[in-house]
């Protein structure tokens, strides 16, 4: 087959980009694969078609890439044009990594909660000024207009959702029948997170942040606001263990969260690593992965943490909860903002080392069943189902 993969960023540091990158690597072994993107990490055997996009503002990137990708594809013939969402005009396979209307609805709920929190002197839920909240609202509405035309399944188009929750959102917000959507989760390369790979990093990374043998290290990775760093810091304070530390990887306004930690009396236990291209040294240094996200269609980093042998504490709102059994690979919290629930789970795991070890083993085993090879094979089966 001659296959076109369309995504603005095909690089390992982007969630959507990693998905396309891993697919391209595997599909190129059996098919003629072309990638249409602005940012690109070379893949042997893959033909890259540069597509211009404005990188300064996400909304402009969306608008410019969609238009330029359409022009780049015009006049070319492919058996499969596979896009990530509505980033081009014509495609016959669409992977839905993010449901715009579901996020828009959640954003409205969070905006209301944010106003209440601020009025009571509590930590901000969104942590963004009013103009930024308006921007987010405009962005999802514009992106939604690109989604509507492509979220129409039929004999000549297939829809892939990265989780059961995304499939449900497509039904609730766009009227897409569940049977018209194939659920294929994002994947992981288990060998990249094996004990033999991670072990050399543990002592070095813990020494870098001043952790000793008694330190209990909880890891948070992601965008600070939507992924719930505020809740994570409050859970650390509620837990109240003097040997506990929260290691934070990602981008965001550190000052605001340092201030929150200071107000809660846990500033010396909060450690920022900044944005990193390779999170494996931080997985190696940690004991538990905490991910109290406010909205998450999947959560690839959670799967990587599982592959690293870390018990997971997250919310049922995360799509990756499809591969986590509550109380087996980790804990799933019903309310993503329940500080008490996260604190209690952390306390239990660190007071019960044997149970924590059992969860770590189960998490790694579950992640091995969601490999990128499996994702590519299932995606290829979707391609073959297209009407010729």
């Amino acid at each position: 087959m001659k296959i076109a993969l369309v995504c603005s960023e095909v690089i390992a540091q982007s969630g959507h980009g990693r998905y396309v990158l891993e697919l391209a690597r595997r599909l190129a072994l059996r098919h003629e694969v072309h990638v249409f993107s602005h940012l690109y990490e070379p893949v042997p055997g893959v033909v890259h078609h540069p597509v211009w996009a404005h990188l300064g503002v996400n909304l402009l990137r969306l608008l410019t890439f969609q238009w330029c990708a359409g022009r780049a594809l015009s006049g070319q013939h492919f058996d499969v044009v596979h896009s990530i969402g509505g980033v081009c005009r014509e495609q016959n396979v669409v992977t839905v990594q993010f449901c715009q209307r579901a996020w828009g609805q959640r954003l409205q709920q969070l905006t209301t909660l944010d106003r209440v929190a601020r009025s009571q002197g509590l930590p901000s839920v969104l942590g963004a000024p009013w103009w930024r909240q308006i921007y987010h609202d405009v962005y999802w509405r514009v992106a939604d207009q690109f989604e509507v035309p492509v979220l129409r399944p039929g004999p000549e188009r297939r829809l892939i959702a990265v989780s059961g929750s995304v499939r449900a959102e497509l039904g609730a917000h766009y009227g897409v029948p569940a049977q018209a959507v194939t659920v294929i989760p994002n994947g992981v390369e288990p060998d990249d997170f094996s004990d033999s790979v991670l072990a050399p990093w543990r002592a070095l990374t813990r020494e870098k942040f001043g952790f000793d043998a008694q330190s209990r290290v909880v890891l948070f990775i992601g965008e600070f606001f939507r992924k719930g760093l505020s809740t994570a810091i409050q859970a650390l304070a509620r837990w109240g263990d003097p040997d506990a530390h929260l290691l934070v990887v990602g981008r965001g306004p550190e000052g605001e969260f340092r201030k929150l930690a200071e107000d809660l009396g846990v500033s010396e236990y909060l450690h920022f690593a900044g944005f990193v291209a390779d999170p494996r040294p931080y997985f190696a240094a940690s004991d538990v992965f905490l991910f109290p996200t406010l909205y998450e269609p999947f959560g690839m980093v959670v799967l990587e943490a599982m592959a690293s042998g870390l018990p997971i504490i997250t919310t049922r709102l995360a799509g990756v909860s499809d591969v986590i059994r509550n109380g087996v690979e980790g804990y799933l919290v019903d309310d993503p903002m329940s500080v008490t629930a996260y604190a209690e789970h952390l306390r239990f795991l660190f007071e019960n080392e044997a149970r924590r070890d059992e969860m770590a083993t189960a998490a790694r085993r579950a992640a091995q069943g969601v490999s990128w090879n499996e994702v590519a094979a299932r995606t290829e089966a979707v391609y073959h189902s297209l009407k010729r």
Side-chain angles (χ1 to χ4, degrees):
M1 284 188 286
K2 186 178 180 182
I3 301 167
L5 300 173
V6 189
C7 180
S8 64
E9 300 178 347
V10 181
I11 55 176
Q13 291 75 28
S14 162
H16 297 180
R18 170 68 69 82
Y19 171 83
V20 176
L21 193 64
E22 299 294 349
L23 278 184
R25 285 172 176 162
R26 289 156 178 80
L27 293 172
L29 299 176
R30 297 178 295 278
H31 305 282
E32 179 183 340
V33 177
H34 297 246
V35 167
F36 291 77
S37 70
H38 180 69
L39 301 179
Y40 178 66
E41 186 174 312
V43 177
V46 171
V47 179
H48 180 233
H49 301 258
V51 178
W52 184 81
H54 187 288
L55 290 183
V57 179
N58 285 342
L59 183 57
L60 291 178
R61 180 189 307 183
L62 173 70
L63 294 169
T64 54
F65 183 82
Q66 205 267 359
W67 187 77
C68 293
R71 291 192 65 187
L73 286 161
S74 180
Q76 300 199 51
H77 171 74
F78 294 95
D79 297 305
V80 175
V81 177
H82 182 174
S83 73
I84 310 305
V87 296
C88 61
R89 297 187 184 96
E90 296 182 5
Q91 64 283 99
N92 48 10
V93 177
V94 182
T95 292
V96 183
Q97 293 269 5
F98 198 95
C99 182
Q100 296 297 337
R101 289 187 183 177
W103 168 237
Q105 182 182 72
R106 183 66 176 145
L107 185 63
Q108 292 174 352
Q109 295 169 347
L110 293 173
T111 299
T112 300
L113 290 173
D114 194 68
R115 292 196 191 101
V116 173
R118 289 177 183 272
S119 69
Q120 297 177 354
L122 298 174
S124 170
V125 174
L126 291 172
W130 63 268
W131 58 267
R132 188 69 179 172
Q133 294 183 27
I134 291 175
Y135 168 79
H136 285 310
D137 188 64
V138 171
Y139 181 91
W140 83 259
R141 293 179 188 277
V142 172
D144 174 64
Q145 295 306 303
F146 291 154
E147 300 288 277
V148 172
V150 305
L151 298 180
R152 293 173 182 166
E156 297 181 355
R157 177 178 286 134
R158 296 288 185 268
L159 300 182
I160 298 172
V162 294
S163 65
S165 60
V166 170
R167 177 168 63 182
E169 290 168 353
L170 292 176
H173 296 281
Y174 295 93
V176 180
Q179 63 271 22
V181 182
T182 301
V183 175
I184 304 177
N186 289 319
V188 69
E189 181 52 64
D191 290 345
D192 290 343
F193 302 89
S194 66
D195 276 336
S196 61
V197 171
L198 297 182
W201 277 314
R202 183 170 176 86
L204 289 172
T205 308
R206 289 173 73 92
E207 182 180 359
K208 175 182 176 181
F209 290 95
F211 304 146
D212 58 28
Q214 286 71 44
S215 296
R216 299 172 167 184
V217 182
V218 179
L219 180 63
F220 171 97
I221 297 180
E223 192 275 325
F224 292 174
F225 294 110
R226 182 163 65 86
K227 311 295 184 175
L229 179 55
S230 173
T231 302
I233 294 172
Q234 292 177 74
L236 177 70
R238 183 72 58 87
W239 178 17
D241 189 316
D243 291 321
H245 297 264
L246 181 63
L247 180 56
V248 177
V249 175
R251 291 193 181 102
E254 293 183 11
E256 181 169 337
F257 293 94
R258 289 187 187 278
K259 176 63 165 57
L260 172 61
E262 184 178 344
D263 291 344
L264 294 173
V266 293
S267 58
E268 63 181 297
Y269 305 106
L270 178 64
H271 310 268
F272 287 94
F275 174 80
V276 299
D278 186 353
R280 289 179 295 177
Y282 303 92
F283 290 137
S286 304
D287 304 303
V288 171
F289 190 76
L290 178 60
F291 194 69
T293 184
L294 299 173
Y295 174 76
E296 189 63 47
F298 188 75
M300 195 181 301
V301 70
V302 180
L303 197 60
E304 292 177 344
M306 293 172 66
S308 301
L310 293 181
I312 306 299
I313 305 176
T314 188
T315 164
R316 293 185 188 276
L317 290 183
V320 72
S321 63
D322 287 353
V323 297
I324 299 173
R325 293 169 294 175
N326 190 35
V328 179
E329 291 83 15
Y331 290 109
L332 301 174
V333 176
D334 292 321
D335 178 0
M337 299 176 69
S338 177
V339 173
T340 299
Y342 294 121
E344 288 177 350
H345 290 315
L346 286 169
R347 182 179 296 109
F348 176 82
L349 284 176
F350 282 100
E351 289 179 354
N352 297 271
E353 184 176 354
R355 188 73 188 95
R356 190 172 77 246
D357 290 344
E358 290 174 1
M359 282 193 170
T361 300
R364 175 165 277 155
R365 186 182 302 115
Q368 290 171 347
V370 199
S371 70
W372 284 118
N373 287 337
E374 176 69 15
V375 171
R378 293 174 62 184
T379 303
E380 193 173 354
V382 172
Y383 295 167
H384 285 298
S385 73
L386 285 164
K387 180 180 179 181
R388 300 296 179 189

